[in-house]
Structures are given as structure tokens and as C-alpha cells.
Amino acid sequence: MEQFLQNLFGQNNILVYISMAVPPLIFMIAFALAAVYMERKVSAHMQDRLGPMLTGWHGVIQTVADIVKLLQKEDIIPAAADRKLFILAPFVTFIGSYAAYACIPFSSQYVGSSISLGLFFIIAISSLVSVGLLMAGWGSNNKYSLYGAIRSVAQIISYEIPTVLVILTIVILAGTIDLQAIVTAQGGWFWNWYIFGGPGGWEKLILLPLMLISFIIYYVTSLAETNRTPFDIPEAESELVAGYHTEYSGMRFAFFFLSEYANMFAVSAIAASLFFGGWQSPFGDSIPFLNTPVMQFAWFLLKGLFFIFVQMWLRWTLPRLRVDQLMYVCWKVLIPFAFVNLLAVALYVVLK
Amino acid sequence: MSPIKKYFHDIWLGLYTIYIGMKITFAHLFTKAVTIQYPDERLQLPERERNRLFVNMDDCIGCDQCARACPVNCIHLDTLKAVPGDIVGRTGVTSNGKKKALFVPTFTIDIGKCCYCQLCVFPCPTECIYMTDVFEFSEYKRENLIYEFTDMTTEQTAEKKAKLEVYTKEQDEKKAAAAKAAAEKKAADAKAGAAPKTAVPPKAPSAVTKAPAAVVEETLKDPKAPASVTKGAKISPVEHEAPKVDIDDKKKEEPNGSKQDNGS
């Protein structure tokens, strides 16, 4: 797609970059609307309720109505707030989430930026989110916000370690750090996905349990990084009102919300790309129609949405962890397992 | 359990319990929602639900018993006696054949005060005040919660009032005439007759008590008045208590409770 745009607008025309950057933004907004609706419906039905039913058929335009409401809201900046930080924080958070989309391959023909450091870039830039959260918490000048922000940042930073270790196992296996290349390597039937050990002969069966552990660790850490239940202590309603965005209203609040849902999709997309073949059709090229770029996008979306569904599913299943339990899970369970896993996979790759 | 064993056991337990929990929540995803979408679908109300009061003015005889029974005084009604020959309401009778002798120019229920005790419902001799199943009647102004049930316009009320005044005047004159005639007759008897005892003139109070009887006689004599109204005319002279005569006849009346109020 980038090549096509280069030819269309001329080499390195600014329009090329703009047209490359816009689709993820549109996707994010559309996705956030859909995901909020999905969240509400899934949670409602898991609690034997109906959820929004009045705005449109089964309440489908409920989130649009919510956004319209948020747009009209007064933008309140607390008198005692640190104005600059307070105003800037939602945008920093949003930039962090948005920039992560640059390297996510939506389809074989579209990836925002085909840099070869894709995964590294995603991990690095998504840490900007925690900076934004800390700015919001500090800038609000509110103890709940500050507590929420501190917890959030502590959580995200600790959980980045097992995440990176797990990603490293895949990188060792794939031999590349470019997400698009990792997805391309999983082509063919679904047993070529890394969750099933990636492409290879029968010897890859050794990898099956290792990959399962990797995936579970990645999934748990992704929940923690997006501050979702059971790791939602940064926004624990019962303890901290709403965490770092307590003082925010109107569109600034909407930006936090948008960024949160964008992050949810980003981690789900990475999970799908690393373990479940990203945009690859499960049937490979045996059914060519299912492997066209548009269908690839559909597969990608399907896999991403499935993981988001699981996130919601977990949210209504598990209670919130305590802070000490959170740290226990990270440092005493996930990191040792991730390390052993990494060593085992590295050993496999060396011996193969 | 050794610490190492416990460590792995805890991890296993954690994962296993998550699996159990997820199985339960997933099952709930497909169970039928318990939500009742209220304005569109409603629960069946209980049989004896007590909600908004309604008064069927076609049956109301203006006996005031509901107002007396009300513990919060939310019912207020005014009555006007009907002149003989006048028909109260459309037919002059209630649906169960009771004569109506009183016009009811105002019958208001302040439902904002109402405590839904239903005490007004039982004393009603004609069962014209009852609880409906309407429970949604919020208003923006408190005044709107004062319901007026009467179907009489102010002009009608004024007309009936004037009619009654004329009639009572007439009756008073007739009464006076009758009393005079009786007195004269008695005097004449006394003069003509025997025992001096009977010569005692009627005392002032007894004259009052006699008055109704006199009126009844008058009305009976009156050729214009229909039979039905004559009975009603009993009410006219002395007091309110009169309709109670009707009430006591009533078979279905709730025996106690409300009655003690009537004595007041």
C-alpha cells in the first residue's frame, strides 16, 4: 500500500505519510465505539441483563450517543491542577496508543510503517502511555488520581518485563523483530501458527507446551498493561473513584477512554500476530478467497476481537487482585516462567 | 506441603479456578436475561394492589364517609341538597338502585397526600371510590396531584345552589305556616276541649325536632313531588346525618372501623 501511495502522490510526498497514518486513526475511533458497545453488551449478558436497548436496534448507537454527550460536556480543569500537565496528559496517552498502531500489520498489504524494528517500536512507544497516565495523575492534584497513576505506572512497568521476555521467545523462534515478517512466517495452515510451534516438522511438538505457557503469560501481562480486570487496581472504582482520570471530563475523558480501548486492541492484535498468525487465514492458501488482503483484515479483526472478548469475559469472571498479589504474580510467577520458557525455546532453536 | 510444591500447586489452582469461573460466566452469557423492559413490558400487578384512587361520580351519593375515614384528610367534598323533583346526576340513582339526594359540586383527592391505606374504600356504601391499577402519575407541579372528580360545572353548582335557596325559603315559610296552624289548632282544641294539661304550648326545642316530620308531611302532600324524592327530602331540614339512614340500610357496608368517625 505504501508503494502504491508513493507512486500515486510521488516519492516521499507528505500526502503519502498522511494517507498511511489515517487508517489506524479511523480504525481506532470506530473500534472504540464498537468495543464500548460490545463491552456493555457482553457484561450485561454475562450478568443476565440486557444492556443498552433503547438507542437504535438493541442499543447499537448507544456509544455514538455517549460520544455526542461527551462532546457537549463542559471541559473542567480543577483550579488546583497543574494546568499544563493536566491538559497535555490525555494527548500523550493517546499518542502512545496511536503510535503503537504504526507497526501492527492489519493485512499483508497494509502496515502503517514497515520498519524492521516493529515489535521493539511497539514496546517502546506504548510505554509513553504510562508517562501520560502519570502526568494525568500528578496534574490532577487529587490523591485518588495520584494513587491511581502511581499504581498504574508501577503495574505497567513491572509487567513489561514478562511481556518482553515472552515476545523475545517468539523473536528467537522467528528470527526477526519485524511484526509483518513474523506474521508472514506463519503462513499456510493454522498449525503453522506459533501457538502450535510455528512452521516446521514434527520436532516442533516439543514447543507446544512452551508456546502455550508463553501465550498465557503474554495474555496475563497484556491484561495488566491495559489495566483491565483482574489487574484494574489503577482504576479500582471501589478504592480510587476512577484512578488517574477522576478529574477529567468531556472530551479529555473521552480521549483516555479511546486510548484505553485502543490499547486493548493493540495488545490483542499483538497476541494474535505473535501466536495466532495475525492476518493469516487458518486455511492458508488452500482457499485463496479467504487469503485476499481484505479477508486478511477480516481475519485479523476477528482474532483481535476474540481476544478482546476474552478480556471482557475475564473481567466479569475474576475479582480484582490486591497490590501485593499483583506483584507476586508478576515477579514470582510470570517472570520465572517466562525466563525458563525463553531458555527452553532458545535451547530448542540452537539444537534444531 | 513444601514451599515449592505449594508454589506450583497455587499456580495450578489459580489457572484451574479461572477455568471454572470462566465456564460459569460463559454459561451465563447464553441464559435468558431477567430484565423486564419496564415501559414496554410490565409485571402483572398483584390482585389487591393499592394505587391511584378513582371515584365514579355516577355512583357517588355524597355521603362524606370516605373523607371521614381518610387518616390524612386528602379527600375533600362539598355537597348540595337536591330539591325535590331535581335529578342528581344523569339518572338520580346509583348503579345499584340507591337514590341520590345530594349534588357533589367538589370532590377532590390530593393524591400527593394519599397514603394508599385504602380506608376510604371500605366505608363507601355504593363502592364508587376504589383503587385502580394506575401507578404512574408523576407531575411537574404539586397542584396537579389534586384530582377533581366531580362532573358539575360552576354554573351548574350556582344554579343548584340558587334552587336550593329558593326551596328552603319556601319550606321555611310552609313550616312556619304549618307550625302556626298546628298551634292554632291545639289552642282551639284546648279551648274547646277538656283537660287543662294539653293546653301547655309546645316547647321551643321540640318544635325543632318535630320539623322534619312536618316537612315529610308537606312533601307527601305535594302532588308534584315524585315518590322517590320524598324520601330524600327527609334530609333537608335538620342535618347531614340524614343520608346515614340510607347508609345503614346498605347491606354491604363495612361494619366497623369507619363508622366510629361518623359520630363526630
Side-chain angles (χ1 to χ4, degrees):
Chain A
M1 189 170 170
E2 195 183 349
Q3 201 56 51
F4 169 74
L5 289 169
Q6 293 275 18
N7 292 337
L8 188 68
F9 295 120
Q11 288 294 313
N12 293 333
N13 191 320
I14 187 78
L15 282 173
V16 176
Y17 302 113
I18 291 173
S19 348
M20 285 305 277
V22 163
L25 190 65
I26 294 167
F27 174 80
M28 271 169 76
I29 292 165
F31 169 76
L33 289 179
V36 172
Y37 176 70
M38 182 178 161
E39 171 105 60
R40 294 180 69 170
K41 275 296 184 189
V42 168
S43 58
H45 283 282
M46 278 189 177
Q47 297 164 0
D48 296 351
R49 294 183 290 119
L50 288 171
M53 288 294 279
L54 294 177
T55 339
W57 181 81
H58 277 242
V60 280
I61 53 169
Q62 181 67 52
T63 39
V64 178
D66 286 345
I67 288 291
V68 170
K69 186 199 81 171
L70 279 174
L71 279 167
Q72 300 170 34
K73 287 270 172 177
E74 187 188 352
D75 180 26
I76 298 165
I77 299 175
D82 189 332
R83 256 187 104 81
K84 278 181 201 151
L85 288 184
F86 189 85
I87 292 169
L88 207 58
F91 304 114
V92 172
T93 314
F94 182 74
I95 287 166
S97 325
Y98 177 43
Y101 277 68
C103 293
I104 293 176
F106 282 88
S107 134
S108 60
Q109 299 304 309
Y110 180 82
V111 54
S113 164
S114 52
I115 53 170
S116 52
L117 283 172
L119 262 177
F120 183 70
F121 176 77
I122 290 172
I123 294 160
I125 205 78
S126 57
S127 297
L128 200 59
V129 173
S130 54
V131 176
L133 301 191
L134 197 54
M135 279 165 79
W138 182 258
S140 298
N141 201 3
N142 171 323
K143 60 186 170 191
Y144 296 119
S145 299
L146 187 57
Y147 269 129
I150 288 170
R151 283 185 187 189
S152 176
V153 171
Q155 178 177 314
I156 290 175
I157 289 172
S158 354
Y159 275 78
E160 247 164 27
I161 298 163
T163 316
V164 171
L165 287 174
V166 167
I167 288 173
L168 205 54
T169 55
I170 299 293
V171 169
I172 287 173
L173 209 56
T176 172
I177 209 165
D178 182 359
L179 206 51
Q180 183 72 293
I182 291 174
V183 173
T184 316
Q186 301 174 67
W189 285 85
F190 60 86
W191 53 74
N192 283 344
W193 295 350
Y194 279 124
I195 187 77
F196 301 114
W202 288 107
E203 74 275 5
K204 77 172 185 180
L205 284 178
I206 308 161
L207 281 177
L208 274 179
L210 299 177
M211 282 296 137
L212 189 65
I213 291 169
S214 305
F215 174 68
I216 290 170
I217 293 172
Y218 179 79
Y219 203 77
V220 170
T221 56
S222 78
L223 288 176
E225 287 207 51
T226 49
N227 297 333
R228 299 230 9 127
T229 328
F231 303 103
D232 66 340
I233 54 161
E235 347 185 336
E237 290 93 348
S238 47
E239 302 160 31
L240 296 177
V241 190
Y244 55 85
H245 56 61
T246 305
E247 295 286 355
Y248 282 87
S249 60
M251 262 339 260
R252 287 181 211 286
F253 172 73
F255 261 100
F256 273 122
F257 224 64
L258 187 61
S259 138
E260 206 168 293
Y261 276 88
N263 263 340
M264 268 167 71
F265 187 78
V267 294
S268 300
I270 293 165
S273 300
L274 290 181
F275 293 97
F276 289 87
W279 42 260
Q280 297 279 6
S281 153
F283 314 107
D285 290 324
S286 59
I287 306 170
F289 164 69
L290 292 179
N291 221 5
T292 54
V294 176
M295 283 310 285
Q296 284 168 350
F297 175 66
W299 282 118
F300 178 73
L301 202 59
L302 194 70
K303 289 167 187 175
L305 282 178
F306 174 74
F307 290 120
I308 282 172
F309 169 72
V310 177
Q311 284 185 351
M312 292 168 183
W313 184 2
L314 279 167
R315 176 171 177 190
W316 300 108
T317 304
L318 299 176
R320 186 182 305 134
L321 263 67
R322 254 181 359 236
V323 181
D324 63 316
Q325 290 168 332
L326 183 92
M327 290 302 160
Y328 177 92
V329 169
C330 179
W331 294 99
K332 287 190 175 172
V333 180
L334 296 180
I335 289 179
F337 270 80
F339 254 122
V340 172
N341 207 26
L342 174 65
L343 289 177
V345 172
L347 202 67
Y348 168 84
V349 172
V350 168
L351 293 180
K352 191 175 72 174
Chain B
M1 207 183 280
S2 70
I4 288 291
K5 208 175 164 193
K6 189 178 182 304
Y7 172 79
F8 284 105
H9 183 257
D10 283 351
I11 291 168
W12 162 249
L13 208 62
L15 290 173
Y16 180 65
T17 47
I18 288 172
Y19 164 73
I20 292 173
M22 285 177 86
K23 223 167 55 173
I24 291 168
T25 41
F26 195 70
H28 273 278
L29 194 56
F30 298 103
T31 49
K32 202 172 171 294
V34 294
T35 311
I36 290 153
Q37 296 211 275
Y38 160 63
D40 301 329
E41 44 181 304
R42 288 147 188 271
L43 279 177
Q44 172 94 44
L45 292 175
E47 202 180 323
R48 297 187 188 181
E49 251 233 339
R50 305 205 296 246
N51 291 305
R52 179 151 79 176
L53 277 168
F54 180 74
V55 181
N56 180 5
M57 288 310 289
D58 284 347
D59 277 2
C60 180
I61 57 169
C63 68
D64 203 35
Q65 295 212 63
C66 46
R68 289 170 201 216
C70 181
V72 291
N73 293 332
C74 71
I75 304 175
H76 175 252
L77 62 128
D78 284 342
T79 50
L80 268 181
K81 290 150 213 162
V83 173
D86 216 352
I87 292 171
V88 181
R90 274 175 310 204
T91 55
V93 275
T94 62
S95 58
N96 53 6
K98 219 144 257 298
K99 307 317 173 278
K100 298 210 285 186
L102 292 168
F103 288 106
V104 186
T106 49
F107 195 123
T108 57
I109 294 180
D110 186 349
I111 207 77
K113 277 193 203 164
C114 181
C115 66
Y116 306 97
C117 61
Q118 212 181 7
L119 287 178
C120 53
V121 171
F122 302 116
C124 183
T126 56
E127 295 180 343
C128 70
I129 184 165
Y130 50 86
M131 295 277 183
T132 56
D133 58 358
V134 182
F135 54 88
E136 303 144 304
F137 41 93
S138 57
E139 293 283 354
Y140 285 103
K141 286 189 173 158
R142 213 178 289 171
E143 298 81 63
N144 295 349
L145 283 169
I146 301 172
Y147 297 148
E148 174 63 77
F149 287 96
T150 190
D151 46 1
M152 283 176 80
T153 59
T154 39
E155 294 86 58
Q156 276 177 318
T157 311
E159 184 204 326
K160 302 293 178 201
K161 215 173 215 167
K163 235 177 173 179
L164 180 68
E165 263 167 31
V166 170
Y167 178 74
T168 39
K169 218 182 213 172
E170 253 172 46
Q171 291 300 308
D172 285 346
E173 279 164 13
K174 277 185 187 172
K175 219 193 301 172
K180 210 176 160 191
E184 273 169 13
K185 203 183 171 196
K186 268 182 187 167
D189 286 353
K191 262 182 207 166
K197 288 183 239 169
T198 47
V200 180
K203 286 167 198 165
S206 68
V208 179
T209 43
K210 265 181 194 169
V215 173
V216 172
E217 279 169 32
E218 286 303 315
T219 43
L220 277 172
K221 275 177 219 161
D222 190 354
K224 279 185 285 172
S228 64
V229 183
T230 37
K231 204 178 169 191
K234 268 193 287 179
I235 316 157
S236 44
V238 190
E239 239 319 11
H240 258 321
E241 309 289 318
K244 222 172 77 188
V245 180
D246 282 351
I247 293 149
D248 290 336
D249 297 342
K250 181 85 170 94
K251 50 180 192 324
K252 268 193 150 179
E253 210 210 324
E254 204 65 18
N256 298 313
S258 57
K259 252 198 178 166
Q260 65 215 22
D261 287 4
N262 291 342
S264 65

